[in-house]
Amino acid sequence: MGGKGSGISMDKIPCVLVKEDKVIEVNEEFIEMTEYNMDEIIGKNIEKVFSLLRGGPCIDAKNIDEKADYFLFTKSLEVRYINIEIVIEKEEIRYIIIEKQGSKFEIKHSYLSQLCKSNDIGVAVYSVPDMVLIKANQKYLDFLEPPFNKSYYSIGRKIEKIITNWKESHVAEFWQQAICTGELVQINEYEHIGYERGITYWNSIITPVLEDGAIKYVVSNTSEVTEQVLNRKRIQEQMEVINLQNRQMEAIFESMPKGIFVNYKDANILLQNDVVRKIIHSPSKLRVFNDSHKYIKYFTMDGKSIDFEETPSFRALSGKKIKDERIIVRCSNKDMVLDVSASPIYDEENNVLMSVASANDVTELVNSQIEIKNQKEQLKAIIENMSDGLVLIDKSGKLTMLNKSAEKYFYTMEIMGEDRDNSDITYFDISGNELRKEELPSKRIIKGQIVTEFRILVKKHNSDIYICINGNPVYDDNGNFLFGIMCMKDITEKVIQEKIIRLQQDSVLRAEREKNEALEKTIAMKDEFLSIISHEFRTPLNVINSAVQAMKFICSDDLSDKAKKYLSMIKLNTYRQLRLVNNLLDVTLASAGNIKINKRNLDIVFLTEAIVDSVKTYAAHKDITLTFITLCKEKVIGIDDEKYERILLNILSNAIKFTPANKSITVRLGVKINNVYIEIEDKGIGIPSEKIDTIFERFGQVDSSLSRQAEGTGIGLSIVKKFVEALGGSISVKSEIDRGSTFTIFFPNEEIAEDISCKTIDDLLSDNKLVQITKVEFSDIYL
Ligand code: ADP
């Protein structure tokens, strides 16, 4: 019994007596049940004692529920299921521990106990629902991280306390599933993250165990499969790498420009790439090497048939190494030229395992080589038969090739400049300057120059030979000089012909020049003659005119009407004659470029109005309304009044001539920024469109028909145009048949810098000059 005596025996039920929270007494039964010594219990705080006993679930010494099922663990860590009763005696509390019936797990669940003893697989028993570790074998404990790999630290503890990261791991869900369904759950290779040693993998079988119809325990049979999983994963990764490498190899293999195929000794084709498939025109892979001869025939380059056993890849299977053997392969009636290399591949025992062969399709190359050869021969034939001499030179200027024609040119060698010093040949350029050695075409070409149509005069033994040379250097792709090419032609005949032609041309030119000079002289003489004649005509005409005038004034009373009429006719015709003479003189002066312009600053408005006024009688006589409209009152510009009068009178006389009665003529004057314009608009018969372009040019057309001019047609407007242009202006016409014509003249809107004349407009008009001029200009129009 307990060390301190008294009545603690309590029907031999294990109990402890506590005073002021400390155990003061403990009975034999308690010691027997828990397997602890008295000393380990007595004097200890009661909370500490329950903790020592790993009591649970949630034993609170101060708040014991007598109806609750508790458990505790013996010193040898065997679980005991208990109820606790409390007896309070004055200041002492007695905790009576009533072991439940069948509480001994090792007896009640002896098979689980036995299972725990085997150490082949990790076995653990957890209580439900609090998930406290009741029992575990060392194998299981070894899975846990220190210190929980020792039963002292793990038994009686909750699962989340002993398995790192339990709450976060998904495995807890499987446990929950087993508890909820009451059925066994098998988990394979679940991944557990949280152990210091890294990620671990586990196989577990979670088995719920019933007691009294309710799940009381969960048994975990666990084995670690980390190594297997990791190994498998490593293998998988390696397989992926290998697969990738295989795919890469295959891509390289497929994209190789050469055809590649690998044959096993047993004649199975292991590999063949797309090029091979194209070569043998096989849509699907040719599986068996030996079959290939069914589709393919092999030939040497000179057309001899090759047996299948003699093909390079077959020979490689017997250990031979073949390098670039050129063969012809016939497949689907198509010939191909292949350069084939083949090598044997040995196994570890040095036996030939397979052969690898590469085939380069050189059909195009061979064909183009043949083509080139043919072309070369053609070219050679052309070159040989060319009439021009063709020469190739190396970079030192030495002759490397010459055609037949070049051979014929005895001077070819000399042109190369080789025998220059001992030769009696001299070379000249076409202008007759002697050529120095470095100026010779061959020397220039090797210096990189292009020689184009270079003419050389070769003098040898008193004979002159002319040669035309074209040539240029030829370079390789890297810009290195390969050779120079020179093409030469004997042009002696041509040069002689050219010389003759040139001489003939010279004499023709000379004759032409002399003819022109004579012509110019004649024209000048003609102009002078006309000028003199005109002047000479004018003087007597003026005298006749004055005489007629005088007769009219002085002898007016003595003359009969008839005589007066004849006098008027004489007067009118002298005016007409004067007009013709004036025009002839002007034409002559204009063609010689001798129009004299005498500009003065004058009021063009006043001047124009005066001129229009002077012809009003003529218009009125024909019942034509002549109106002058001006947009400004006065405008002073630099103008030659005499020329202007002639211009305007000429246009007005035409207007009156070609306008029928009862129609109108309007003269408008306006000023723009740069110009002064005068517009003479008539409502007359108009000018046909085919004529309008030439009315100012008439003079040119009628140059030789003086007789027509004498009739008074065709030169008036050409003189007008010349005068207008001499005054710095321009003239244009618009006309419509039966509607009338409008002549527009533009003069520059500017005054002359210095006006030294002292004449005024009044002066100009005072001596009746305008009337005289008008009479002359209007001599065609009868009043
Ligand atoms: P001419 O000195 O004979 O008058 P012009 O050179 O002045 O000759 O005129 C040439 C021709 O242009 C005239 O013969 C006439 O046919 C035509 N012409 C000139 N002005 C007019 C006009 N206002 N209306 C119709 N025809 C015109």
Side-chain angles (χ1 to χ4, degrees):
M1 285 300 289
K4 297 273 159 83
S6 91
I8 200 170
S9 60
M10 284 293 292
D11 298 313
K12 304 223 179 275
I13 297 170
C15 66
V16 288
L17 192 65
V18 174
K19 186 177 181 186
E20 290 170 0
D21 288 343
K22 284 210 173 91
V23 177
I24 53 168
E25 265 188 51
V26 61
N27 66 2
E28 284 286 337
E29 286 72 18
F30 187 87
I31 293 302
E32 198 180 311
M33 182 178 94
T34 62
E35 300 166 7
Y36 287 92
N37 299 329
M38 293 271 187
D39 299 346
E40 287 170 300
I41 308 292
I42 290 188
K44 288 234 163 79
N45 184 307
I46 182 66
E47 300 281 356
K48 286 257 171 63
V49 171
F50 278 129
S51 163
L52 180 71
L53 295 172
R54 299 163 199 248
C58 322
I59 293 184
D60 178 4
K62 298 238 170 66
N63 197 11
I64 293 289
D65 178 358
E66 293 188 345
K67 283 189 187 109
D69 290 336
Y70 294 112
F71 59 78
L72 53 78
F73 286 83
T74 65
K75 198 172 182 181
S76 62
L77 297 175
E78 292 295 344
V79 71
R80 297 287 180 261
Y81 292 92
I82 55 165
N83 295 116
I84 300 172
E85 276 180 20
I86 305 276
V87 180
I88 300 170
E89 300 159 2
K90 291 179 194 164
E91 291 169 346
E92 295 167 355
I93 303 170
R94 190 175 301 271
Y95 290 83
I96 302 159
I97 314 295
I98 305 149
E99 195 175 338
K100 292 188 73 155
Q101 214 176 8
S103 138
K104 289 197 174 61
F105 181 85
E106 60 275 24
I107 295 166
K108 194 164 186 183
H109 297 289
S110 59
Y111 70 98
L112 285 179
S113 278
Q114 287 306 314
L115 198 62
C116 286
K117 276 180 193 148
S118 82
N119 227 17
D120 299 334
I121 187 166
V123 182
V125 182
Y126 286 90
S127 65
V128 175
D130 45 324
M131 302 300 287
V132 168
L133 182 63
I134 305 295
K135 222 162 177 50
N137 63 0
Q138 192 51 47
K139 181 91 178 174
Y140 182 84
L141 294 173
D142 285 343
F143 296 151
L144 308 176
E145 297 220 291
F148 305 110
N149 54 349
K150 295 208 169 67
S151 56
Y152 175 79
Y153 292 104
S154 47
I155 298 289
R157 289 189 193 281
K158 287 196 172 199
I159 194 160
E160 68 247 34
K161 288 268 180 326
I162 58 178
I163 297 179
T164 328
N165 240 12
W166 171 261
K167 278 194 172 161
E168 288 76 28
S169 75
H170 292 298
V171 72
E173 290 167 18
F174 293 108
W175 286 58
Q176 209 48 49
Q177 186 191 333
I179 293 164
C180 290
T181 61
E183 281 172 15
L184 173 148
V185 174
Q186 182 160 353
I187 319 159
N188 290 325
E189 294 181 2
Y190 73 82
E191 190 183 72
H192 184 76
I193 302 167
Y195 283 157
E196 225 168 70
R197 62 183 194 269
I199 296 173
T200 47
Y201 294 90
W202 305 91
N203 282 352
S204 266
I205 298 170
I206 315 297
T207 318
V209 176
L210 293 167
E211 211 179 278
D212 302 329
I215 296 169
K216 184 94 194 252
Y217 306 106
V218 173
V219 179
S220 160
N221 293 311
T222 306
S223 52
E224 183 167 3
V225 287
T226 307
E227 208 153 305
Q228 292 93 303
V229 172
L230 291 181
N231 277 342
R232 205 189 55 241
K233 286 197 174 215
R234 264 194 293 275
I235 288 166
Q236 265 168 4
E237 276 166 19
Q238 280 168 2
M239 283 305 293
E240 270 163 29
V241 171
I242 288 167
N243 282 340
L244 183 69
Q245 282 173 351
N246 278 346
R247 283 200 299 277
Q248 285 169 348
M249 280 298 292
E250 204 168 312
I252 293 168
F253 186 69
E254 283 297 339
S255 60
M256 275 171 85
K258 285 186 176 188
I260 308 265
F261 52 101
V262 182
N263 306 312
Y264 273 127
K265 181 106 186 164
D266 63 7
N268 268 331
I269 294 174
L270 177 65
L271 284 171
Q272 61 191 356
N273 68 357
D274 199 41
V275 182
V276 172
R277 287 193 285 281
K278 276 190 186 133
I279 288 174
I280 60 168
H281 301 286
S282 162
S284 58
K285 285 187 182 178
L286 192 67
R287 293 272 168 219
V288 182
F289 181 40
N290 288 358
D291 280 354
S292 68
H293 69 279
K294 290 182 193 161
Y295 311 101
I296 306 169
K297 300 266 174 283
Y298 306 91
F299 301 93
T300 61
M301 286 306 284
D302 38 9
K304 279 186 207 135
S305 174
I306 303 172
D307 287 342
F308 176 65
E309 291 74 19
E310 282 307 308
T311 55
S313 43
F314 200 93
R315 270 150 55 213
L317 286 174
S318 53
K320 295 216 172 63
K321 263 195 161 189
I322 292 105
K323 178 104 185 87
D324 280 335
E325 194 170 296
R326 187 161 289 183
I327 57 170
I328 296 171
V329 168
R330 182 170 299 156
C331 187
S332 310
N333 282 334
K334 200 183 154 206
D335 282 1
M336 258 171 300
V337 185
L338 302 180
D339 277 350
V340 184
S341 298
S343 298
I345 297 173
Y346 297 93
D347 66 8
E348 282 156 9
E349 275 121 42
N350 224 17
N351 299 316
V352 177
L353 191 66
M354 53 182 101
S355 77
V356 60
S358 71
N360 204 6
D361 184 354
V362 289
T363 317
E364 261 179 47
L365 183 77
V366 170
N367 284 343
S368 57
Q369 275 171 353
I370 293 168
E371 181 80 356
I372 287 168
K373 206 175 147 206
N374 290 341
Q375 281 177 358
K376 226 173 168 180
E377 263 152 32
Q378 276 175 10
L379 201 66
K380 214 171 153 193
I382 292 168
I383 289 171
E384 275 307 300
N385 295 304
M386 256 168 77
S387 63
D388 289 3
L390 197 82
V391 172
L392 295 189
I393 49 173
D394 68 10
K395 59 180 167 199
S396 65
K398 286 224 159 45
L399 200 67
T400 53
M401 194 215 95
L402 76 169
N403 68 352
K404 264 189 211 146
S405 302
E407 275 171 24
K408 275 194 275 172
Y409 294 126
F410 63 90
Y411 40 75
T412 304
M413 296 301 283
E414 284 98 353
I415 283 176
M416 308 309 302
E418 287 184 355
D419 294 330
R420 191 80 204 280
D421 297 337
N422 353 337
S423 161
D424 60 341
I425 298 172
T426 34
Y427 307 97
F428 299 89
D429 66 15
I430 212 73
S431 325
N433 305 315
E434 192 175 342
L435 287 170
R436 282 171 289 125
K437 195 172 177 177
E438 62 271 20
E439 287 174 326
L440 288 170
S442 58
K443 303 293 171 203
R444 284 169 53 198
I445 290 167
I446 57 177
K447 268 192 245 157
Q449 292 176 19
I450 293 171
V451 176
T452 316
E453 295 290 313
F454 187 69
R455 290 182 170 197
I456 271 191
L457 166 59
V458 185
K459 281 186 186 286
K460 183 173 177 171
H461 310 310
N462 297 328
S463 64
D464 282 5
I465 297 140
Y466 289 92
I467 310 159
C468 175
I469 299 172
N470 282 293
N472 55 278
V474 177
Y475 300 97
D476 67 10
D477 288 348
N478 302 321
N480 302 316
F481 182 92
L482 281 179
F483 56 86
I485 184 162
M486 248 176 20
C487 185
M488 51 187 72
K489 202 181 205 152
D490 187 340
I491 52 161
T492 313
E493 269 303 301
K494 193 177 165 197
V495 170
I496 290 167
Q497 284 301 323
E498 278 176 2
K499 269 188 185 169
I500 294 168
I501 291 170
R502 209 172 308 125
L503 282 175
Q504 285 172 346
Q505 273 176 346
D506 282 353
S507 71
V508 169
L509 277 176
R510 208 175 313 118
E512 187 76 9
R513 202 164 41 238
E514 281 164 7
K515 212 171 112 191
N516 280 346
E517 278 167 11
L519 201 68
E520 273 166 27
K521 242 185 224 165
T522 316
I523 291 170
M525 273 169 67
K526 184 199 83 180
D527 283 353
E528 209 181 318
F529 172 74
L530 276 176
S531 173
I532 291 166
I533 290 286
S534 309
H535 272 293
E536 293 306 312
F537 267 130
R538 244 170 34 171
T539 321
L541 276 174
N542 281 332
V543 173
I544 295 170
N545 209 3
S546 306
V548 171
Q549 196 94 345
M551 269 174 91
K552 251 187 147 182
F553 273 113
I554 300 164
C555 317
S556 174
D557 299 338
D558 306 332
L559 293 173
S560 65
D561 284 349
K562 229 174 185 177
K564 278 183 190 165
K565 195 183 154 199
Y566 288 132
L567 270 182
S568 289
M569 274 172 71
I570 293 170
K571 200 177 154 198
L572 182 71
N573 278 292
T574 52
Y575 282 146
R576 291 182 72 184
Q577 195 72 358
L578 208 55
R579 183 177 178 242
L580 177 64
V581 170
N582 280 345
N583 281 353
L584 271 176
L585 191 62
D586 287 334
V587 161
T588 318
L589 289 174
S591 70
N594 280 338
I595 301 173
K596 277 205 183 102
I597 294 296
N598 208 0
K599 273 194 186 179
R600 275 174 285 214
N601 287 334
L602 296 169
D603 178 2
I604 185 108
V605 181
F606 184 84
L607 190 57
T608 310
E609 192 166 16
I611 297 167
V612 173
D613 279 349
S614 79
V615 304
K616 273 203 166 146
T617 355
Y618 295 91
H621 189 75
K622 269 192 84 179
D623 285 332
I624 294 167
T625 329
L626 175 61
T627 322
F628 173 64
I629 301 170
T630 177
L631 299 175
C632 59
K633 266 190 166 175
E634 188 187 297
K635 179 72 209 165
V636 176
I637 59 166
I639 188 106
D640 181 327
D641 53 310
E642 271 181 38
K643 300 279 181 299
Y644 181 59
E645 281 161 9
R646 294 276 304 282
I647 293 165
L648 206 56
L649 285 172
N650 207 312
I651 296 171
L652 281 170
S653 77
N654 279 338
I656 292 172
K657 244 191 269 175
F658 298 109
T659 303
N662 300 321
K663 299 271 175 172
S664 65
I665 298 170
T666 312
V667 179
R668 271 185 214 88
L669 190 146
V671 181
K672 290 188 171 173
I673 295 176
N674 295 319
N675 312 98
V676 170
Y677 67 91
I678 300 100
E679 215 175 67
I680 303 100
E681 183 191 358
D682 67 59
K683 302 285 180 195
I685 60 167
I687 306 163
S689 56
E690 70 274 7
K691 231 176 160 190
I692 205 147
D693 290 337
T694 53
I695 55 165
F696 293 112
E697 309 297 333
R698 275 240 173 135
F699 173 63
Q701 291 168 3
V702 294
D703 189 22
S704 59
S705 56
L706 283 171
S707 57
R708 289 200 59 208
Q709 288 175 29
E711 285 170 29
T713 52
I715 49 174
L717 284 178
S718 72
I719 291 171
V720 163
K721 188 168 191 253
K722 289 241 157 42
F723 281 179
V724 170
E725 281 167 4
L727 286 169
S730 63
I731 180 163
S732 59
V733 62
K734 277 187 187 154
S735 185
E736 226 179 300
I737 288 289
D738 293 337
R739 291 243 163 147
S741 314
T742 304
F743 286 78
T744 310
I745 307 164
F746 284 96
F747 288 122
N749 180 7
E750 57 191 21
E751 293 182 28
I752 56 164
E754 259 175 75
D755 185 0
I756 45 153
S757 80
C758 48
K759 272 193 176 179
T760 63
I761 288 261
D762 293 336
D763 293 337
L764 292 167
L765 303 175
S766 64
D767 54 2
N768 233 357
K769 210 173 154 220
L770 177 61
V771 177
Q772 283 303 315
I773 297 171
T774 310
K775 279 184 175 164
V776 173
E777 286 297 331
F778 276 66
S779 55
D780 279 350
I781 299 165
Y782 302 98
L783 281 176

